[in-house]
């Protein structure tokens, strides 16, 4: 008999019809009540065993973690909190789970412990909820862009170009580590390497993305990116996924508008399609908050934060205006900021971004027109001679979630900047070509996918929102 | 005035309304007729310039490759093959294109040449069509799985595990190539490397995918995979994208059924959503065919092949049955096969697969139950003691497009096979754990994304269906 997913069974009218469910035992109480989960929903279904007429040897194998198949009648449930249950006529053990050895017992486990058994943590409520939401967000991203006529472009992962300078890189090689070919200068000869040159893992698909925007109009990337930085924090991964839309004929204002519509679409999608998982994570986060000292608790719950984003227009203001507000703010005057704001030109820290969002405007904020000196070479130079058409979207709790800009489309201006910064002009020949042949005003931005998932799930460690996190010292699984 | 995409303009009723279009000049004839393309469709829109009232200096800048903005009235077109055109009131040059230097002239360019300027080839009809179809197929894949309750899982790209043995790997490292740390044995000490061990780029996400199937039920991966093989062919890339669904509670028959439904869905999606691009590519392939000697031309056109897949049930037969058919086939008896089939146990070549599909059954074929010796360690062992529950889906023109299997879910059986093949049992601890705790029958398969795009677009070189191909000696852009 074909299995029915629990998600579907739970909304099926119980008429005593025969059904089969397959999944993993979460608990087995009183030799009678099996709570089964199959991953299709955070809810379990209860199967009731007639223990008087069931072999003792079978009952003993219904243990937490075992995989079973249950066939029986779907009936209304007398128990609280569930509308249906299965009166089990047949229970089959598909895979045993030795309760002495199975590491997931029906109790709370620390997230640290679960990271050590990342191949099993997806069988817990927390991680299955996070991963279902992660899926929903990935799908919503594709749907948002597809519906607007954007094309998904796979930019290369292995790259010979080191132009963007977004961070330290991983080298990709097939040379014999112990005995690499050497040139006349005694150094490793990368001409002998697989690609005939030194290659690295990409830090961003933006530059290649631009080549497609200036052909197909509106495109986006969604792929893995890498940073070889020795950051052991709750906010950094060595391998993470990034979404980078790039649009011809968009100026900085169009770019800000798209960023707002995009983020609001995603949050609304989550609220609509992941309601049960979000409710569970909301409770989970609230319990975690309550274990903190009162003054460190956040004012907004997870669901509050999601509504904060979906229901408010984003406040747009220039970097210069933001600096004025911050300079005159109470925490700055009372020296509560760790980094005091004393002059135009400094980079903003998360504490400043959060002050603007959470205290001053009480809505998401988009800052634009940043000092050129703290931004990347490809950003469009404003007429004031000191700022560029950059933009950052700031969210409650986490600060910057999106960074982007209008790109410098003028050949001479870009060339000058490349030279000022001593970037490898020769390697950028194809990027410069875009400004030589049919250049157009264009813009784009980047969204770190795991940052988004942190925000939407309320999880606090980025290692807990990706299936198998990569960080210094860890490439297990 | 906000631009309207050409795709939309071409289906707008012309009433003399003011519209703005922005895009790249494909041709400019008689100082009057501009063919503009903006990447939203393979069709150009014609803008008609009143050259008597336009500055000569402006007219000179309307060159092939230039990016322009045209505003004017949308009117019915008297010209053949187009229903509307724009009576240009205002033409603005957004980006010039020096006709002496722009490498794309309005004529056919060889695919080889275009590979050298991959940053511009997306502005040609062929590559924009291919890339729009590539996008449509990626989206259709996500939609197919999402609609069925599968979850998209990002399996790791950098991996410490070398268990699958699917091919040569790229090493990922941050050690100083010229001066790596050495251990007491004089060899490079990978404990000092970024991840505290030797790491490589993934060749498959399957094993990690299984961990999620046995928690969430039905999952799929869609990510880049890598092979460090020195293959300079039209069918291999060093970096390519792969889709790997993995499903708990599926046996080999469920797996075959899913593979058929999946491929038919994708082809039908392309026929429905990419009709214009497919028509263009169909013509293109026909012209290419006509330059070949008669006996090397394929019987089916591109559109024929797509219908061949979408309209026929896939023929399922066992490897053993296929060997019998091949052994007794005319090309085998007349020694027309390059590799003659003389005994059970040999691996099939593309010529055999294509014979079964194109000549014998005249429909797509799924072969199953292959000899264990020619398949991977994780495939489920059949009771005959010599075959495994593997399956390959074979398509016209290209042979194998999908490979998959039911996975060995029995701990003892799998362990024995791992030991027989001298695989690193210790590294596979987490994979073995899946069989120790709540194991379940499960299945999955892999689809090479670029193979799919080759099939759907009729292109013949895999380097032409990915934005920036990676192959030995090439990591440009």
């Amino acid at each position: 008999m074909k299995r029915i997913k629990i998600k579907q069974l739970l909304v099926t009218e119980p008429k005593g019809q025969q059904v089969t469910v397959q999944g993993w035992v979460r608990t087995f109480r009183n030799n009678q009540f099996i709570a089964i989960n199959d991953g299709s929903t955070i809810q379990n279904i209860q199967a009731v065993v007639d223990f008087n007429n069931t072999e003792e040897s079978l009952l003993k194998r219904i243990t937490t973690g075992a995989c079973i198949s249950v066939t029986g009648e779907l009936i209304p449930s007398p128990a609280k909190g569930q509308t249906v249950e299965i009166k089990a006529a047949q229970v089959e053990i598909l895979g045993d789970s030795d309760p002495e050895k199975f590491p997931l017992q029906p109790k709370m486990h620390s997230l640290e412990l679960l990271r050590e058994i990342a191949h099993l943590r997806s069988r817990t409520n927390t991680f299955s909820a996070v991963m279902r939401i992660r899926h929903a967000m990935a799908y919503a991203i594709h749907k948002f862009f597809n519906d607007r006529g954007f094309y998904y472009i796979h930019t290369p992962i292995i790259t010979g170009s080191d132009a963007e300078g977004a961070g330290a890189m991983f080298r990709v090689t097939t040379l014999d580590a112990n005995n690499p070919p050497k040139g006349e200068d005694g150094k490793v000869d990368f001409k002998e390497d697989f690609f005939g040159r030194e290659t690295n893992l990409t830090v961003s698909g933006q530059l290649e993305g631009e080549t497609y925007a200036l052909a197909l109009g509106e495109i986006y990337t969604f792929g893995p990116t890498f940073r070889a930085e020795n950051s052991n924090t709750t906010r950094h991964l060595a391998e993470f996924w990034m979404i980078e839309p790039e649009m011809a004929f968009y100026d900085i204002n169009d770019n800000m508008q798209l960023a707002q519509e995009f983020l609001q679409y995603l949050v609304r999608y989550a609220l609509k399609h992941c309601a049960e998982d979000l409710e569970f994570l909301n409770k989970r986060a609230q319990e975690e908050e309550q274990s903190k000292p009162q003054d460190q608790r956040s004012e907004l719950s997870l669901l509050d934060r999601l509504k904060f984003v979906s229901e408010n227009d984003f406040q747009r203001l220039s970097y210069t205006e933001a600096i004025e507000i911050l300079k005159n703010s109470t925490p700055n005057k009372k020296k509560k900021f760790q980094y005091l704001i004393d002059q135009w030109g400094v980079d903003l820290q998360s504490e400043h971004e959060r002050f603007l969002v959470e205290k001053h405007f009480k809505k998401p904020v988009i800052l634009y027109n940043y000092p050129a000196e703290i931004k990347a070479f490809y950003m469009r130079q404003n007429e004031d001679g000191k700022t560029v058409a950059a933009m950052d979207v700031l969210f409650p709790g986490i600060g910057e979630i999106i960074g982007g800009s209008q790109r410098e489309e003028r050949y001479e201006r870009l060339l000058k900047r490349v030279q000022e910064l001593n970037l490898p002009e020769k390697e950028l020949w194809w990027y410069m070509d875009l400004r030589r042949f049919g250049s157009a005003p264009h813009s784009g931005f980047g969204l770190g996918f795991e940052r988004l998932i942190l925000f939407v799930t309320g999880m606090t460690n980025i290692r807990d929102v990706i299936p198998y996190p990569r960080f210094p010292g860890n490439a297990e699984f």
Side-chain angles (χ1 to χ4, degrees), chain A:
Chain A
M1 203 173 164
K2 206 171 148 50
R3 81 160 175 134
I4 303 178
K5 287 188 186 180
I6 292 172
K7 185 177 181 174
Q8 192 188 329
L9 273 183
L10 292 177
V11 294
T12 301
E13 200 190 331
K15 297 171 171 174
Q17 65 270 50
Q18 287 284 310
V19 297
T20 294
V21 66
Q22 301 182 320
W24 292 268
V25 176
R26 285 291 168 84
T27 56
F28 184 35
R29 289 181 302 112
N30 303 345
N31 247 357
Q32 199 172 2
F33 303 109
I34 319 176
I36 308 170
N37 189 285
D38 68 1
S40 65
T41 156
I42 197 153
Q43 309 294 341
N44 303 325
I45 197 162
Q46 177 163 286
V48 185
V49 181
D50 176 6
F51 62 95
N52 286 320
N53 292 306
T54 306
E55 295 263 358
E56 183 66 22
S57 61
L58 179 66
L59 290 173
K60 277 194 176 152
R61 292 171 67 195
I62 304 174
T63 57
T64 296
C67 188
I68 64 174
S69 181
V70 175
T71 299
E73 284 174 38
L74 190 71
I75 56 172
S77 176
K80 225 183 114 187
Q82 56 196 24
T83 55
V84 298
E85 64 182 32
I86 299 173
K87 191 178 158 191
Q90 199 195 331
V91 176
E92 187 191 346
I93 309 290
L94 299 176
D96 289 288
S97 178
D98 183 339
E100 301 292 311
K101 292 179 182 159
F102 186 55
L104 291 174
Q105 292 306 316
K107 57 161 192 163
M108 279 285 274
H109 298 276
S110 79
L111 297 174
E112 290 72 23
L113 172 80
L114 291 173
R115 253 169 254 145
E116 304 286 314
I117 49 169
H119 62 307
L120 298 175
R121 68 178 180 174
S122 41
R123 297 189 197 172
T124 64
N125 282 335
T126 298
F127 283 94
S128 63
V130 167
M131 292 304 162
R132 278 189 296 267
I133 291 170
R134 189 179 161 106
H135 160 77
M137 290 296 88
Y139 185 68
I141 288 164
H142 287 297
K143 185 164 164 50
F144 175 84
F145 286 125
N146 182 71
D147 288 353
R148 287 173 177 238
F150 283 59
Y151 301 108
Y152 180 28
I153 301 297
H154 289 116
T155 49
I157 312 300
I158 299 173
T159 172
S161 110
D162 176 18
E164 228 225 328
M169 299 201 290
F170 290 101
R171 193 167 71 253
V172 174
T173 181
T174 54
L175 294 180
D176 182 348
N178 287 303
N179 190 22
K182 304 250 168 121
E184 282 178 11
D185 58 359
K187 293 200 165 173
V188 170
D189 182 8
F190 287 107
K191 288 209 186 76
E192 298 288 312
D193 209 344
F194 188 91
F195 295 106
R197 63 199 291 178
E198 192 172 341
T199 51
N200 296 290
L201 291 178
T202 183
V203 296
S204 160
Q206 179 200 316
L207 305 194
E208 290 92 351
E210 287 183 48
T211 68
Y212 270 81
L214 293 180
L216 301 183
E218 296 165 327
I219 66 95
Y220 68 107
T221 73
F222 188 167
T225 46
F226 305 85
R227 296 282 190 286
E229 267 144 36
N230 198 8
S231 306
N232 260 303
T233 78
T234 58
R235 301 172 54 75
H236 293 89
L237 290 169
E239 173 182 313
F240 57 100
W241 288 68
M242 196 141 76
I243 298 100
E244 298 181 285
E246 196 71 34
M247 300 76 63
F249 315 119
Y250 276 52
D251 67 16
I252 184 76
N253 293 308
D254 302 323
N255 204 20
M256 289 194 274
Q257 187 61 28
L258 182 73
Q260 171 174 337
E261 288 173 17
F262 179 49
L263 290 169
Q264 289 190 322
Y265 177 90
L266 296 179
V267 169
R268 287 174 192 147
Y269 189 98
L271 287 167
K272 181 171 173 193
H273 291 86
C274 310
E276 283 184 341
D277 286 326
L278 283 176
E279 210 173 289
F280 171 83
L281 291 171
N282 191 52
K283 261 191 213 144
R284 190 190 169 281
Q286 271 168 344
E287 282 161 21
E288 207 171 63
E289 283 292 307
Q290 271 154 24
S291 69
K292 288 184 190 169
Q294 190 114 31
D295 65 329
Q296 283 172 35
R297 294 182 199 167
S298 63
E299 284 175 32
L300 300 175
S301 74
L302 169 60
L303 288 173
D304 290 339
R305 286 196 300 276
L306 296 178
K307 286 176 190 149
F308 183 95
V309 163
S310 67
E311 291 171 4
N312 284 303
D313 239 353
F314 294 11
Q315 177 73 42
R316 298 181 196 178
L317 76 160
S318 71
Y319 166 91
T320 302
E321 291 167 309
I323 286 290
E324 281 310 303
I325 290 169
L326 288 167
K327 231 197 269 182
N328 298 317
S329 70
T330 310
N332 202 52
K333 285 180 174 165
K334 292 199 172 169
K335 311 208 168 178
K336 298 273 183 186
F337 282 145
Q338 205 186 334
Y339 297 88
L340 294 179
I341 298 290
D342 52 0
Q343 57 176 341
W344 191 94
V346 295
D347 212 350
L348 300 184
Q349 305 297 321
S350 180
E351 58 180 343
H352 310 127
E353 296 171 343
R354 293 185 57 181
F355 172 81
L356 291 170
V357 172
E358 295 165 29
K359 307 288 179 191
H360 189 83
F361 290 108
K362 295 188 189 296
K363 52 169 99 165
V365 167
I366 310 184
L367 295 188
Y368 61 87
N369 288 352
Y370 278 80
E373 293 312 308
I374 58 172
K375 290 290 180 182
F377 77 96
Y378 48 71
M379 297 189 175
R380 192 174 197 276
Q381 297 154 42
N382 287 326
E383 295 314 310
D384 62 15
K386 56 182 190 173
T387 63
V388 288
M391 62 163 217
D392 282 355
V393 182
L394 314 179
F395 263 22
I398 60 169
E400 183 196 327
I401 190 159
I402 272 181
S405 74
Q406 186 169 343
R407 316 308 188 188
E408 183 55 80
E409 87 279 15
R410 296 162 295 185
Y411 182 83
E412 295 299 335
R413 294 261 196 157
L414 184 63
L415 184 64
K416 187 156 166 277
R417 193 77 185 126
V418 164
Q419 288 168 343
E420 277 170 10
L421 296 171
N422 279 315
L423 295 173
E425 194 183 324
K426 221 179 116 191
E427 272 189 32
L428 284 167
W429 69 274
W430 52 273
Y431 190 68
M432 299 304 298
D433 260 9
L434 296 183
R435 281 75 183 167
R436 295 173 67 209
F437 304 117
S439 189
H442 64 291
S443 298
F445 59 78
L447 167 68
F449 188 53
E450 284 74 20
R451 288 274 174 95
L452 172 74
I453 307 302
L454 275 180
F455 179 75
V456 175
T457 62
M459 300 295 284
T460 52
N461 191 324
I462 202 162
R463 296 175 188 180
D464 296 332
V465 297
I466 190 169
Y468 293 101
R470 297 312 188 217
F471 49 88
N474 193 294
E476 187 67 65
F477 307 105

